[in-house]
């Protein structure tokens, strides 16, 4: 028997339970992975709270890194002992070991630690599709990244800077502003003190930006639209402050024929070829040193509830890992 975090009803962090579970042998196309580190992400809180409904009872977590322990029939591209990392379903990463489809796994280079692997996959692949697929950032662009000191934010700021962009980022404290600045953010804005849309206009000479990457949701949506130049792209990829309400398409026209998208990593990595392409780009910028993965918090896996409290209370910066 092994252990995992599971929940039998939706609610606050208190619903997360440390339980004995059976893992068993991998079936066709599966492998068994022994986790060395597990990633913590805001989407985990959406599953736990019921914002994103899942069948109950359920495991939780979408990201981890560890070692392949056993191979199921038909798995040819991996071997027992391989170091691997992954991001995406099915749920169940908050565990000591688990079964997972082999085609979801990416080999982890020896130069990267398991903690880095667990911290970078979901947030890093999110930054990859945002910057390279949803709106392809070009040299000379000015971009707005909300929650610039968060897990996705720190990666996206560094990556956008490496691509030659000018980076504007919103943060909630002076300390987070300094952290964002140290990771490629040219213009940190304390949205708790300033009208960020007005500051964006000041920074861009009144023009606005071609793209806003908004993982905050309800609290920043209106200001994000006001930060865009005509024909700009509004990328709403998260709901940290709550989900965005109903959107009147006419508003997008009035604001400058704006484009709006609500993407998810799942769709951008549904095909193995797309997952490998994004992972190759991510591993490239991380191993080259252009993007540094900041693991700033570590919790024992058994204390996942405490980690959720810290994450939802905006007490974290960069990435957080859970250690079995």
């Amino acid at each position: 028997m092994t252990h995992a975090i599971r929940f039998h009803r939706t609610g606050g962090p208190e619903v997360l339970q440390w339980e004995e579970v059976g893992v068993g042998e991998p079936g066709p196309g599966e492998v068994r992975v022994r986790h060395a580190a597990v990633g913590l992400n805001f989407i985990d809180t959406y599953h736990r709270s019921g914002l994103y409904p899942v069948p109950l009872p359920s495991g939780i977590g979408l990201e981890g890194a560890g070692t392949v322990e056993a191979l199921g029939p038909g798995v040819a591209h991996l071997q027992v002992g391989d170091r691997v990392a992954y991001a995406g379903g099915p749920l169940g990463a908050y565990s000591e070991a688990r079964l997972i489809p082999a085609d979801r796994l990416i080999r982890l280079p020896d130069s990267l630690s398991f903690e880095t692997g667990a911290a970078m996959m979901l947030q890093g692949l999110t930054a990859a599709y945002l910057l390279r697929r949803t709106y392809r950032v070009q040299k000379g662009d000015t971009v707005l990244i909300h929650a610039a000191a968060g897990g996705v934010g720190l990666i996206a700021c560094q990556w956008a800077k490496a691509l030659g962009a000018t980076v504007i980022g919103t943060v909630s404290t002076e300390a987070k502003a300094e952290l964002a600045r140290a990771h490629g953010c040219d213009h940190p804005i304390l949205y708790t003190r300033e009208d960020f849309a007005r500051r964006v206009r000041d920074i861009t000479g009144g023009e606005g930006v071609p793209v806003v990457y908004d993982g905050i949701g309800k609290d920043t949506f209106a200001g994000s639209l006001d930060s865009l130049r005509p024909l700009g792209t509004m990328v709403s990829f998260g709901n940290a402050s709550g989900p965005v309400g109903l959107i009147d398409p006419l508003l997008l026209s009035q604001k400058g024929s704006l484009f709006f998208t609500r993407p998810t990593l799942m769709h951008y990595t549904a095909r193995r070829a797309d997952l490998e392409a994004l992972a190759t780009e991510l591993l490239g910028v991380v191993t080259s040193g252009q993007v540094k993965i900041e693991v700033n918090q570590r919790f024992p896996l058994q204390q996942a509830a405490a980690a959720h409290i810290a994450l939802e209370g905006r007490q974290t910066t960069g990435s957080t890992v859970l250690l079995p």
Side-chain angles (χ1 to χ4, degrees), residues 278-294:
L278 286 176
T280 296
E281 289 205 65
L282 172 62
L283 290 171
V285 294
V286 173
T287 56
S288 70
Q290 291 176 295
V291 171
K292 294 179 173 58
I293 305 299
E294 301 287 353

Side-chain angles (χ1 to χ4, degrees), residues 40-41 63 119-128 151-152 155 318-320:
L40 175 75
N41 295 282
E63 177 180 46
M120 78 175 187
M121 288 297 291
L122 196 146
Q123 295 168 348
L125 289 173
T126 297
V152 174
I155 296 171
S319 298
T320 302

Side-chain angles (χ1 to χ4, degrees), residues 147-172:
V152 174
L154 287 182
I155 296 171
C157 285
Q158 295 175 81
W159 201 336
K161 189 67 175 175
L163 291 169
T166 297
V167 181
I168 305 171
T170 63
V171 294
S172 59

Side-chain angles (χ1 to χ4, degrees), residues 146 214-222 224 234 236 238-244:
H146 285 296
D214 190 339
I216 300 297
K218 174 172 63 70
D219 290 354
T220 50
F221 181 75
S224 292
M234 171 62 189
S236 176
N239 316 287
S241 67
V244 175

Side-chain angles (χ1 to χ4, degrees), residues 43 47 52-54 62 86-91 103-104 121-130 133-134 237 262-276 278:
I43 193 172
H47 292 139
Y52 291 0
V54 300
L62 292 168
Y86 66 89
L91 296 180
D103 68 355
R104 295 291 89 194
M121 288 297 291
L122 196 146
Q123 295 168 348
L125 289 173
T126 297
Y129 84 71
L130 291 173
R133 294 284 303 276
T134 306
F237 69 96
R262 181 58 174 88
T264 68
L265 177 62
M266 176 182 66
H267 294 130
Y268 278 86
T269 58
R271 297 191 310 160
R272 174 72 188 180
D274 291 333
L275 171 62
E276 288 182 338
L278 286 176

